[in-house]
Structure formats: C-alpha cells, structure tokens
Amino acid sequence: VELTPGQPIWLFPADTVLEIPRLATSTGPSAITRHLPPFLSTLILETPLWEWIATLLAALFLIAVARQFDRVLRFAVRCSASRLHIERYVPWIEAVIEPLRVLLALMAFRIFIEFIKPAAIARLYIGRVAEAIFVGSVAWCLIRLVALSLNRVESRMDDARRFASRSMLHLGRRTFNTVIIILAILMVLSNWGYNTATLVAGLGVGGIAIALAAQQTIANIFGGVSVIADRPIRVGEYGKFGDLLGTLEDIGLRSTTIRTLNRTRVAVPNSTFAGYNLENYAARDKILFNPTIAIKRGTPEDRVRALVDTLRQNLEANKEIEMVPTPVRITGLGSSALNLEIFCYVLTPDINRFYVVQGDLYLAINRALDAAQIELA
C-alpha cells in the first residue's frame, strides 16, 4: 500500500504477524550450528562448512562400508559358484556387481543428504557428482565385460591364430574402451545440462581430420585385419611374399615382420603386405620335382631313349613319387644340347624330407647317365 504518494510499503495481515516467532525459529540457525565454532558456519555455495564436512565424512564412510560389502559379496559368489559348478561365470558376475554396489551406496548417500538438507545449489553439484560416479561405474563394468569377452575369444583360438591376432584384439579392446568412455562422458555432460550436440559435431569434424592425416596408418590397420581374416598364411609358416622368401614372424598393428633366409627381419607395412602375391609353402600337400638335364647333342638316339625309359622305371619304382602321364620328356633342342625334363611330385609336405628324396633322385639320375654312357652338355 502507499501511505503517501510514491512511497509504497508492505502491509501484512495480523495472522501473519502472529506467526513471526515460529517462522523465525524455523529459519534461524539449527541447534547444531549454535554449538559449533563460528568458522564452521562459513557458507560455501550457500551451505555451511560443517554440512560439507559431514557430507564428505558420510561419503568416506559409505565407501568403506561398500568395500567391505564388496568383499563379503565376492566371497558369497565364489562359495556359491563352487557349489553350483559355475566358476567360469564368477568374473562376469563380479563385473555386474560393481555398478550395483555403487548404486546402493549412492542411494544411502541420497538418504543422508535428506537429513543434512544442504542448499539447492549445493544439492545440484552433489547430484552431478553422484551421477558422474554412477555412469563411471557402469562404464567400468562395460569395459570389464568387453575385456572378458575378448579374452574368451582369444582363449578359443589355436596358438598360431592367437599369436597373430593379439594385436588386433588389443586394438579392438582399446577401440571399445574408447567408445565406452566417450559415451559415458557425453552422457554425464548431457545430464549436467550441456549441449552435447555441438561437442559431437566437433568430434566428428576432428575425427575426419584425424582420419585424413592418418589414412596410411588406418590402411595398415585394415590391411592387417584383412590378412588375419583371410588367413592366406599364418604366423610361423614359410612362404614367398612378393620378392621376399622367409618365415612370417608377426602381424602387428602397423607392419608385418618376415624372417628371411639370411636371418634378417624385414618389416612390411600391412597395406603393402595385403597387396602381395602370398605363396604359402607350408600349405603344400606335395612338392614338385622338376629338373632339366642338358644332354650333348651328339648323343646317339638309342642311348637317349634308353635313358628316358630307365628314368621312368626308377620313378615308378619309388613309392614316394607321384607320377604324371609323361614324367620324363624331351622339351628342347639347342645348338649344343638336348634338354630332358623330369616332372613329378614328391609325396611329402615336409621340405626336409623332400630334400632327402631329391638327393636320392639326383643320384639315381647320375647312375642312369653313367649306365647309358651319356655326357651332360
């Protein structure tokens, strides 16, 4: 109302005036505050310092209780698992228990906050921290589940595949972990009221820039993935890779390592290695024996035919040889030599055994040449 023009004042009804003593008591300092030192009544975010200290002590107490509860629960799970014969599922159960334990602790903390009754601004920040802790525990649980899944996949591989795939599995684990962490951060920021759409757009632009700058690295990674997925050759196997001849030692994130016959190690980028013509000698079921013998042109024809028949009979008598329709053939005529070719397979994938059989065959050929009195050109 205005007692005088231009000077408004508040006018309260009589029943409100009668309530002033009660209102003053309810809004005044609490009994705890009246018995505490003055510095503990210092306001931080409109909340007395003693309430912040009480909140911190409550959080520490709940953490200690939760840790003890976690130990008891782990013991109970393991005892039950031994009785139910489900020991292999214990890590999975323990991974799920973690966010549940955090959730129960946060619920107890929320009940305690209702007794403390901090200011609204303090409740806002305390609630944000609690949300971040819960989302972090869920993300931690998912990371553990991903690790357990990939470890199980690796354990089901044979030794060669496990050795070749460990880099890819490591990359997959890091990729999943990064995605989970980014999603957790975005969820927390969204709950805090921040506009994450702009952040996601920025991450997309940044990702494109990184992809353009690291396209060769990405090509190497996908090259390694393609080699492991197609499995034209495995780690520890011998073969020819482009112009390189040696044993495949490792398939890494960036490069593939080959141990050459000179015992040197050659690192080939995965993108280049994936484009090679890969000849896997270890995958052979039999090995070709294909020498060419140059006979002097002046050798009588009957001796040449006798040599061909003798060599064919020797090959037929050898049980480790797979014959073709024409295992011994005349393939060329030069100015000074007549070329005689032997074409057959040694029935062994073992290169060392092949060398033994090959030596025996060369000795047999030499004996046949001496018996036919034929000289080489």
Side-chain angles (χ1 to χ4, degrees):
V1 296
E2 290 186 359
L3 296 181
T4 58
Q7 293 183 352
I9 63 172
W10 287 99
L11 178 62
F12 295 95
D15 54 351
T16 301
V17 175
L18 294 176
E19 290 291 327
I20 287 177
R22 186 181 65 81
L23 294 173
T25 302
S26 63
T27 59
S30 63
I32 297 177
T33 304
R34 288 195 295 268
H35 293 84
L36 291 176
F39 75 93
L40 293 178
S41 299
T42 304
L43 296 180
I44 301 176
L45 295 178
E46 301 182 6
T47 302
L49 178 60
W50 73 267
E51 293 186 4
W52 286 109
I53 295 175
T55 301
L56 178 60
L57 293 176
L60 295 176
F61 174 76
L62 289 174
I63 291 174
V65 172
R67 290 178 66 87
Q68 297 301 323
F69 175 75
D70 186 36
R71 293 178 181 176
V72 173
L73 201 56
R74 286 175 186 270
F75 178 76
V77 169
R78 291 174 181 175
C79 291
S80 302
S82 61
R83 293 179 180 179
L84 299 176
H85 305 288
I86 54 172
E87 291 85 353
R88 59 178 179 174
Y89 297 109
V90 170
W92 301 85
I93 298 174
E94 291 179 350
V96 176
I97 286 175
E98 296 295 342
L100 178 61
R101 176 171 59 88
V102 174
L103 178 61
L104 294 176
L106 290 176
M107 291 175 60
F109 183 74
R110 183 63 179 271
I111 295 173
F112 176 80
I113 291 297
E114 294 300 325
F115 286 101
I116 295 294
K117 294 182 179 179
I121 186 67
R123 285 173 177 262
L124 175 64
Y125 287 108
I126 292 173
R128 288 181 175 181
V129 172
E131 290 176 357
I133 292 174
F134 180 70
V135 173
S137 67
V138 174
W140 180 29
C141 171
L142 293 177
I143 289 173
R144 291 186 61 183
L145 292 176
V146 168
L148 291 171
S149 300
L150 294 180
N151 289 338
R152 174 162 292 189
V153 170
E154 184 177 2
S155 65
R156 292 182 177 179
M157 295 179 177
D158 54 50
D159 293 337
R161 290 179 61 192
R162 186 183 303 128
F163 185 75
S165 304
R166 74 173 188 274
S167 297
M168 297 300 109
L169 291 174
H170 179 67
L171 174 64
R173 181 181 290 108
R174 294 182 62 181
T175 302
F176 280 117
N177 292 349
T178 302
V179 171
I180 291 171
I181 292 172
I182 291 176
L183 291 177
I185 293 174
L186 292 177
M187 185 178 297
V188 170
L189 292 178
S190 177
N191 291 334
W192 287 2
Y194 293 97
N195 185 6
T196 56
T198 304
L199 181 60
V200 171
L203 289 175
V205 174
I208 294 174
I210 293 174
L212 291 176
Q215 54 182 327
Q216 188 60 41
T217 301
I218 296 174
N220 289 331
I221 292 174
F222 280 98
V225 172
S226 65
V227 171
I228 292 176
D230 293 341
R231 289 188 291 170
I233 190 166
R234 299 181 181 182
V235 171
E237 292 181 337
Y238 180 77
K240 186 176 182 181
F241 319 102
D243 297 330
L244 294 173
L245 194 65
T247 302
L248 184 65
E249 280 204 341
D250 185 29
I251 302 175
L253 291 178
R254 191 197 69 84
S255 63
T256 297
T257 304
I258 300 169
R259 177 75 69 176
T260 66
L261 296 179
N262 293 326
R263 306 309 298 163
T264 59
R265 296 183 66 186
V266 179
V268 182
N270 286 336
S271 58
T272 304
F273 184 80
Y276 279 164
N277 292 326
L278 305 179
E279 187 175 359
N280 188 352
Y281 291 165
R284 295 180 295 194
D285 56 348
K286 51 191 175 184
I287 302 177
L288 176 65
F289 179 71
N290 184 220
T292 299
I293 304 172
I295 302 172
K296 283 188 177 181
R297 186 177 177 186
T299 303
E301 181 178 337
D302 57 341
R303 294 184 183 180
V304 175
R305 292 187 180 278
L307 176 63
V308 171
D309 293 338
T310 301
L311 292 177
R312 182 183 297 109
Q313 292 172 5
N314 289 338
L315 293 176
E316 291 175 349
N318 195 326
K319 296 181 179 180
E320 293 188 86
I321 299 299
E322 180 182 285
M323 302 288 289
V324 296
T326 53
V328 184
R329 64 193 76 165
I330 299 173
T331 58
L333 178 64
S335 59
S336 60
L338 185 68
N339 294 329
L340 187 68
E341 180 186 19
I342 300 175
F343 191 98
C344 61
Y345 289 99
V346 179
L347 296 175
T348 178
D350 184 3
I351 188 65
N352 295 315
R353 180 59 190 167
F354 168 78
Y355 287 145
V356 173
V357 176
Q358 178 181 251
D360 294 339
L361 291 175
Y362 279 135
L363 293 175
I365 293 171
N366 186 59
R367 290 193 297 270
L369 290 170
D370 291 341
Q373 298 180 353
I374 294 178
E375 296 183 0
L376 299 180

